[in-house]
C-alpha cells in the first residue's frame, strides 16, 4: 500500500533529467507492492485534482459489466471469508470479461493475478495492454515499472516512474521507488 510522506527533491525537473540519463546498472529493490484488483466502475472517466482528464470511455455492454462485477465480487468474497484466493478462478473470470469487451481495468487485474501466479511475461503483457488502452491507468504503469526493476532494467523503470510522476506528481509510491533507484543508477548524490 502507499506510504505517507514525500521526497520533495525527487519531484524536481533536474532530478528527473539526471535519472533519465543515468547509466544502467542492475538493481535489487523490494518486490511489488501488495496489490488489490481494481474495484471501481470501469466506465467512470475519472476526474479531479491534478490528475489528467481521462478519455471518454464508452459504456460497457450489460454482459461485460455483469462479468466485471462478478470478477470483483469473487475476489471480495474470498477476502471476506478469509480463505486462500483461487487465482485460477479469478484468471478465468477476468478473461471472460476480456472476451466480452477489451476493458483496460480487466487487463490490469489479470496482470495482478498473473504476478501472483508467478507468470511475469503474461503479467507484463497484461499491464502493457491496459496502458495501451488507457495510458492514465497509474497502477498498471507502477506495477510494470516494479517488474522492470526486478528484471534489472533500471533505465526503463526510471523512465516509467518519471512518466507516472509527470501525470501524478503526488504519487508517493513512484517518488519513493524513483528515489531508491537514484543511487543505484550510479549518479552522484
Amino acid at each position: 500500500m502507499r506510504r505517507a510522506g514525500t521526497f520533495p527533491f525527487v519531484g524536481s525537473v533536474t532530478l528527473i533529467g539526471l535519472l533519465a540519463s543515468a547509466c544502467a546498472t542492475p538493481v535489487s529493490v523490494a518486490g511489488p507492492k501488495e496489490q488489490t484488483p481494481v474495484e471501481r466502475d470501469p466506465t467512470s472517466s475519472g476526474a479531479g485534482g491534478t490528475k489528467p482528464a481521462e478519455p471518454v470511455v464508452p459504456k460497457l455492454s450489460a454482459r461485460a459489466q455483469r462479468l466485471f462485477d462478478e470478477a470483483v465480487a469473487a475476489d471480495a468474497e474470498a477476502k471476506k471469508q478469509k480463505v486462500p484466493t483461487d487465482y485460477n478462478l479469478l484468471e478465468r473470470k477476468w478473461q471472460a470479461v476480456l472476451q466480452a469487451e477489451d476493458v483496460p481495468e480487466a487487463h490490469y487485474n489479470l496482470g495482478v493475478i498473473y504476478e501472483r501466479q508467478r507468470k511475469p511475461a503474461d503479467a507484463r503483457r497484461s499491464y502493457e495492454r491496459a496502458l495501451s488502452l488507457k495510458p492514465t491507468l497509474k497502477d498498471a504503469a507502477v506495477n510494470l515499472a516494479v517488474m522492470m526493476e526486478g528484471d534489472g532494467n533500471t533505465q526503463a523503470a526510471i523512465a516509467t516512474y518519471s512518466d507516472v510522476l509527470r501525470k501524478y506528481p503526488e504519487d508517493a509510491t513512484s517518488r519513493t521507488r524513483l528515489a531508491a533507484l537514484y543511487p543505484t543508477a550510479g549518479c552522484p548524490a
Side-chain angles (χ1 to χ4, degrees):
M1 303 324 300
R2 293 202 167 72
R3 291 177 221 149
T6 60
F7 294 89
F9 60 90
V10 175
S12 74
V13 174
T14 304
L15 179 60
I16 290 173
L18 287 172
L19 288 173
S21 64
C23 58
T25 58
V27 64
S28 173
V29 179
K33 64 182 180 172
E34 183 62 28
Q35 304 158 21
T36 302
V38 173
E39 296 182 16
R40 64 181 186 77
D41 179 4
T43 61
S44 68
S45 61
T50 59
K51 295 181 182 178
E54 298 274 341
V56 175
V57 178
K59 186 166 177 65
L60 293 180
S61 68
R63 181 173 187 266
Q65 184 66 57
R66 179 182 51 81
L67 292 168
F68 189 97
D69 293 342
E70 286 175 6
V72 170
D75 186 48
E77 185 63 24
K79 289 177 183 170
K80 180 180 173 185
Q81 293 182 4
K82 298 181 181 179
V83 297
T85 302
D86 183 349
Y87 294 118
N88 292 325
L89 171 69
L90 290 177
E91 179 183 352
R92 287 190 306 273
K93 288 195 172 285
W94 288 117
Q95 286 176 342
V97 172
L98 293 173
Q99 287 174 357
E101 270 184 61
D102 209 12
V103 181
E105 289 83 0
H107 283 286
Y108 164 75
N109 287 325
L110 196 54
V112 171
I113 299 304
Y114 285 143
E115 275 196 87
R116 290 180 181 170
Q117 292 175 320
R118 302 188 192 289
K119 298 178 182 178
D122 292 334
R124 182 181 305 274
R125 277 191 296 276
S126 291
Y127 293 143
E128 288 171 348
R129 180 62 181 151
L131 290 167
S132 74
L133 294 170
K134 187 175 182 180
T136 56
L137 195 52
K138 177 178 61 169
D139 289 340
V142 170
N143 289 356
L144 186 58
V146 170
M147 292 184 76
M148 292 169 180
E149 281 183 63
D151 293 343
N153 193 346
T154 305
Q155 293 302 315
I158 287 171
T160 303
Y161 287 131
S162 297
D163 185 53
V164 169
L165 288 171
R166 275 190 288 282
K167 294 174 185 172
Y168 303 94
E170 75 287 352
D171 185 60
T173 299
S174 293
R175 285 179 179 274
T176 302
R177 295 190 80 90
L178 191 57
L181 283 176
Y182 181 70
T184 63
C187 296

